[in-house]
């Protein structure tokens, strides 16, 4: 089961309050600006600072390649 699209639309990175990619195939929400990955466990986004994964440049590149190949878009646009 995937996250509810309405939930995904309102989620924002707790660090910079910006939009996220939801990579359902890897059960993560991803902030490409800060290279932060948040796990989705049992269909619940785990967005705690103590649980975040910091990706290095290689990890960022791999995840962005998946995002591109799967045609995933950011969940929302940043507020103006």
């Amino acid at each position: 089961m995937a996250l509810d699209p309405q939930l995904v639309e309102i989620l924002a990175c707790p660090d910079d309050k910006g939009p996220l990619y939801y990579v359902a195939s890897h059960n993560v929400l991803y902030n490409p600006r800060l290279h932060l990955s948040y796990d989705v466990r049992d269909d619940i986004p785990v967005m705690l600072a103590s649980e975040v994964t910091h990706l290095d440049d290689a990890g960022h590149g791999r995840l962005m390649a998946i995002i591109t190949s799967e045609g995933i878009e950011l969940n929302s646009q940043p507020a103006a």
Side-chain angles (χ1 to χ4, degrees):
M1 184 174 201
L3 288 178
D4 182 315
Q6 289 179 324
L7 173 61
V8 172
E9 185 63 29
I10 63 171
L11 290 173
C13 177
D15 200 20
D16 73 356
K17 312 299 186 246
L20 300 163
Y21 288 108
Y22 172 43
V23 187
S25 63
H26 286 70
N27 292 315
V28 297
L29 290 156
Y30 185 59
N31 177 336
R33 299 167 305 284
L34 302 177
H35 297 202
L36 300 177
S37 176
Y38 299 93
D39 288 340
V40 176
R41 297 184 197 135
D42 298 321
D43 299 324
I44 300 170
V46 180
M47 302 182 76
L48 303 170
S50 62
E51 298 282 332
V52 70
T53 300
H54 298 269
L55 297 181
D56 60 14
D57 288 340
H60 168 76
R62 283 190 296 273
L63 196 51
M64 289 306 297
I66 292 165
I67 289 165
T68 300
S69 71
E70 293 183 9
I72 299 169
E73 296 182 10
L74 285 167
N75 66 338
S76 63
Q77 297 300 315

